[in-house]
Amino acid sequence: IADTGIICKVAEGIGFDHKWSVVVGGQTSSEYLGQKMSYEVPSLAAISPKLLSTDGSTGITLTGAQFGPESTSNVVTVMYRSVKYPNVGDVMTSNKMARNCSVDGHAHDTITCVGSAEGIGTDLAFWVVVGTQTSNISTKKIAYKPPHVASLTPVSGLETSGGDTVTIVGTNFGPAGIGNVPSSRYQTAPETAGATALALLSKNATNCTVIVDHVAIRCTTVVGVGRNVQFFVTVGTQQSNGSHAVTSYAKPKVKDVAAVGAVNIRKLQTIGGQNLSVTGTNFGPLGGVVDNVVGLKYGNGTLGGTASNCSVVVAHTEMSCKTSVGVGSNLTFVATVGGHQGDYSSDYVHVAY
């Protein structure tokens, strides 16, 4: 429209509240103080991949619209947090920023980030900031990867009284810091024991803490028994699968056997039923039940028997049993605790019927 109107196409860009001025014949008008112009607010539709490494090494791709041009001057910010919990500023709930993000391509619909922030948790919702304009919070959510256990140290010899340190090595344990309080439980591996033993040995380790960011946790064992014990680790609200690596409590060891009362330990009755007091190490906690937790066998390579009614009477160091029907001399003993059998030894007291 001559002298009074101009029609233009808007250049690609970002931001809001842009002011207008006109240049005609090298002369620039004053800024128009009326209606200002804004680009559309960015809109976020999808995020990939679905799982991020807790160490922040996983690249992220976001798709949507109105992300602006592919330009070094278009500095986009990608933020996210777990919306499952209130933001209390810790490693699981705080706002996080993805790393080195930029618009990818000329369609204004894709942002790529070199990596995420370190973190743990699930239900991660994202939003983007383009030219000070903030997108919607994504309805689609992703998560950090669950922890994975690769190895355990030591592999055997844990005291049944507990208090030993176990180092768990793996991946996606998260960073050490406020809010990352890992936990661990352990149980007899399914291929080692049936349902009864599994029910008997399911323990929660104590004092678990990340000692090397993302890859190592240290925990303290509790009172227990058993062999081929697998560990599970929980980080945030995510639990690992049972570890293929296993460890074991120490084998029970019989040190001495005495007959209760006036019974001569070297002249036991062949009809059985006589009380024995057995001392040693790693017998486990009080209340052991024969065949499930505590058992006692004795023999000389040819003859022998299995004691009955065995139970722990002094935690970890003494059990009581009854002799079975039998014959023989020079009998040595071996204890079984939680399916974990010790070794016969010539150091044991020799017993005879």
Side-chain angles (χ1 to χ4, degrees):
I1 301 173
D3 300 321
T4 61
I6 300 175
I7 297 175
C8 301
K9 288 186 177 181
V10 178
E12 61 179 7
I14 58 174
F16 68 101
D17 285 351
H18 292 279
K19 298 177 181 179
W20 293 93
S21 61
V22 175
V23 179
V24 178
Q27 295 179 295
T28 303
S29 71
S30 59
E31 289 184 343
Y32 176 57
L33 300 178
Q35 184 177 3
K36 299 173 183 178
M37 185 206 77
S38 298
Y39 286 95
E40 291 188 36
V41 174
S43 173
L44 183 57
I47 311 103
S48 65
K50 293 182 179 180
L51 294 173
L52 306 175
S53 296
T54 65
D55 63 4
S57 62
T58 307
I60 304 171
T61 300
L62 304 95
T63 56
Q66 310 303 329
F67 292 159
E70 182 181 27
S71 169
T72 55
S73 63
N74 182 11
V75 180
V76 296
T77 303
V78 175
M79 303 293 297
Y80 64 99
R81 65 172 294 266
S82 174
V83 295
K84 190 173 183 179
Y85 304 98
N87 185 351
V88 296
D90 63 19
V91 70
M92 184 165 67
T93 66
S94 63
N95 290 351
K96 297 176 179 63
M97 182 186 298
R99 297 182 292 109
N100 299 335
C101 299
S102 60
V103 175
D104 188 10
H106 301 287
H108 299 246
D109 62 356
T110 303
I111 295 173
T112 58
C113 302
V114 171
S116 68
E118 293 182 317
I120 59 174
T122 62
D123 296 279
L124 304 177
F126 282 68
W127 64 96
V128 300
V129 181
V130 177
T132 71
Q133 292 180 292
T134 302
S135 75
N136 59 300
I137 296 176
S138 63
T139 56
K140 295 181 179 179
K141 302 173 184 66
I142 65 174
Y144 282 102
K145 293 178 181 179
H148 171 74
V149 178
S151 65
L152 305 169
T153 305
V155 297
S156 63
L158 302 175
E159 294 294 319
T160 63
S161 56
D164 285 323
T165 296
V166 173
T167 300
I168 306 168
V169 174
T171 55
N172 294 302
F173 294 159
I178 298 173
N180 186 9
V181 184
S183 61
S184 181
R185 69 178 181 88
Y186 52 96
Q187 67 180 34
T188 305
E191 61 270 22
T192 300
T196 300
L198 284 173
L200 284 167
L201 179 57
S202 183
K203 302 289 185 178
N204 293 318
T206 61
N207 303 321
C208 294
T209 185
V210 175
I211 57 172
V212 180
D213 287 350
H214 312 290
V215 299
I217 291 172
R218 181 178 293 152
C219 297
T220 303
T221 60
V222 296
V223 172
V225 297
R227 64 187 179 89
N228 292 346
V229 175
Q230 63 179 173
F231 274 68
F232 299 77
V233 167
T234 298
V235 174
T237 57
Q238 296 173 287
Q239 179 177 280
S240 71
N241 293 327
S243 62
H244 292 294
V246 294
T247 185
S248 297
Y249 280 96
K251 292 180 179 181
K253 182 176 181 179
V254 175
K255 291 185 175 180
D256 193 18
V257 180
V260 178
V263 178
N264 187 334
I265 193 65
R266 297 188 181 279
K267 293 183 180 180
L268 299 175
Q269 296 179 4
T270 59
I271 60 173
Q274 292 172 288
N275 294 319
L276 298 176
S277 175
V278 184
T279 57
T281 57
N282 292 303
F283 291 165
L286 294 173
V289 181
V290 67
D291 294 331
N292 284 339
V293 174
V294 179
L296 185 70
K297 296 180 180 180
Y298 46 95
N300 60 10
T302 303
L303 302 172
T306 299
S308 62
N309 298 333
C310 291
S311 64
V312 176
V313 294
V314 177
H316 314 291
T317 62
E318 184 178 348
M319 69 171 76
S320 66
C321 299
K322 290 184 179 294
T323 60
S324 62
V325 174
V327 296
S329 60
N330 294 324
L331 305 177
T332 59
F333 285 79
V334 62
T336 300
V337 176
H340 200 185
Q341 181 172 297
D343 299 314
Y344 285 100
S345 171
S346 58
D347 294 336
Y348 298 169
V349 172
H350 285 65
V351 179
Y353 281 97

